[in-house]
Amino acid sequence: MTGVPAMGLVLGRLLVSAAQTGWLWVGFRFARFLVRPVIGEDQVAMDSKGVTWRQWRGPGSEVHHLPYSDVAAFPEPVGSVTALLHTGKVVELASVGELEHEALWKRLCGLSELGVTPKVLTACVPEGREAIALPEGGVVLRREWDGGIERAWALGGVVLLLLVSAAVVMWRQGIDGATVEGPLFAVALVGFVGWVGLKACPSFQSRREWEIRPGVLEKVRYRIGRPIRVNHGVKSLEVRQDETGELGTPEWVYSSLFLNTPKGPVRLERGSASAQYIQHLGQWLAHRLKVPLNVRAIQDELPKVKSSRRCRTG
């Protein structure tokens, strides 16, 4: 395409690629949603010792077995039947055939003698988290992290696309003639490639975790460079249930977990409507911090402001 600047060609191709990728991703997810109930099948067998299941989604599906001794609870089914392990990991047992989920869940609870929540909250890592023992004592609590493999593959594809774009810009210099904008644009693309490449490396991905020792909770944020650490001496933990609304009608209720420190309360975690999860997290932390946990319901101390009277000042 002679007569068309390289920057216009590359930017147009990048925009088209982004649009195509978005539509392909949405189409794949929608097709999977439609096809799974048609060709998919969940096979679940259980006895008084454990549960065996197979999620058939095509050739090569594996058979899994889970003893009840590894399970802390069977949460109430919402779209799928799951098992919460003592490690905090959630295992999906069945997701096809929602009409049978209630009966399957009740059968699992009956045979395993387990309920919706763990019998001993302090012995089960909160859902979606993982706990790692520290060599010098204490424990690290963080959200489940798979090393960012899927993210690394996605960002790797972006790096390849940007490198090809930079090469095309420089190659077009021989066709369109040497310009100042072309090499500068190629350099900008290469710089962006370096930034995306760093984000793709698991060791450079930002993550947060808590280091927990008796009476001390240290927030740690890992990113490029040295980790950022914030130390809190903890006297007690407190679960608050706050109600937020407009015109006197509650819009939502959310629970928060606070650290009571010598410098004042510090919000540690907020859950939109999952008071059960926040209380579980509070019980687990309080047991390892060796501090008391207070549970109370409070109204939002800030005055409620009608949306029609809100204004900005600046």
Side-chain angles (χ1 to χ4, degrees):
M1 297 179 64
T2 58
V4 180
M7 289 181 59
L9 286 175
V10 170
L11 287 175
R13 182 63 251 178
L14 289 175
L15 291 174
V16 171
S17 299
Q20 288 177 335
T21 303
W23 277 107
L24 285 173
W25 182 82
V26 172
F28 175 77
R29 295 294 297 267
F30 186 66
R32 183 182 178 186
F33 172 77
L34 293 178
V35 172
R36 187 179 63 175
V38 177
I39 68 171
E41 181 181 82
D42 292 327
Q43 301 172 354
V44 183
M46 66 201 83
D47 54 23
S48 59
K49 296 182 179 179
V51 57
T52 302
W53 77 98
R54 178 191 180 196
Q55 292 184 315
W56 194 90
R57 304 292 184 265
S61 56
E62 299 181 3
V63 178
H64 305 274
H65 178 74
L66 182 66
Y68 293 138
S69 58
D70 294 343
V71 181
F74 287 103
E76 192 170 351
V78 180
S80 62
V81 180
T82 59
L84 173 62
L85 307 186
H86 292 290
T87 58
K89 185 178 180 180
V90 177
V91 177
E92 185 180 74
L93 304 178
S95 60
V96 178
E98 294 186 11
L99 296 177
E100 292 81 9
H101 288 175
E102 188 76 16
L104 175 60
W105 170 67
K106 290 181 178 179
R107 183 66 173 166
L108 284 169
C109 292
L111 286 174
S112 64
E113 299 182 353
L114 297 172
V116 179
T117 58
K119 293 180 179 179
V120 183
L121 294 178
T122 56
C124 174
V125 179
E127 179 181 341
R129 309 249 181 183
E130 58 182 0
I132 303 172
L134 291 170
E136 65 275 11
V139 64
V140 171
L141 184 68
R142 67 187 185 191
R143 296 192 182 276
E144 280 187 294
W145 191 60
D146 58 358
I149 302 301
E150 294 183 358
R151 181 183 179 185
W153 276 103
L155 293 179
V158 174
V159 166
L160 180 61
L161 179 62
L162 293 177
L163 283 175
V164 172
S165 299
V168 169
V169 170
M170 296 305 297
W171 171 70
R172 288 279 302 195
Q173 294 293 298
I175 299 176
D176 300 332
T179 61
V180 177
E181 295 83 1
L184 289 178
F185 183 53
V187 170
L189 287 176
V190 172
F192 194 54
V193 163
W195 181 77
V196 174
L198 287 178
K199 299 289 286 186
C201 295
S203 58
F204 287 99
Q205 293 181 20
S206 176
R207 66 183 189 276
R208 302 171 187 268
E209 59 189 31
W210 302 332
E211 292 187 4
I212 304 157
R213 299 175 181 85
V216 178
L217 186 145
E218 189 172 21
K219 296 180 180 179
V220 186
R221 181 184 177 187
Y222 291 94
R223 58 179 186 176
I224 298 176
R226 298 182 62 182
I228 299 176
R229 296 177 176 270
V230 180
N231 193 290
H232 296 286
V234 184
K235 298 189 295 183
S236 65
L237 293 173
E238 184 175 354
V239 175
R240 299 180 183 180
Q241 189 173 358
D242 304 330
E243 196 173 88
T244 304
E246 293 183 358
L247 301 176
T249 303
E251 280 189 338
W252 64 81
V253 175
Y254 62 87
S255 297
S256 303
L257 181 62
F258 282 81
L259 303 175
N260 288 325
T261 69
K263 298 181 180 180
V266 176
R267 189 193 299 271
L268 184 65
E269 186 80 4
R270 172 185 289 186
S272 57
S274 182
Q276 190 177 71
Y277 170 78
I278 292 295
Q279 291 187 17
H280 183 184
L281 179 62
Q283 291 277 7
W284 193 90
L285 288 172
H287 178 71
R288 282 150 184 82
L289 288 168
K290 300 187 185 303
V291 297
L293 172 68
N294 301 321
V295 181
R296 65 175 179 145
I298 64 169
Q299 295 290 330
D300 191 3
E301 296 178 357
L302 296 177
K304 295 181 174 60
V305 181
K306 296 182 180 181
S307 58
S308 59
R309 295 184 180 179
R310 289 178 182 172
C311 61
R312 293 184 179 180
T313 60

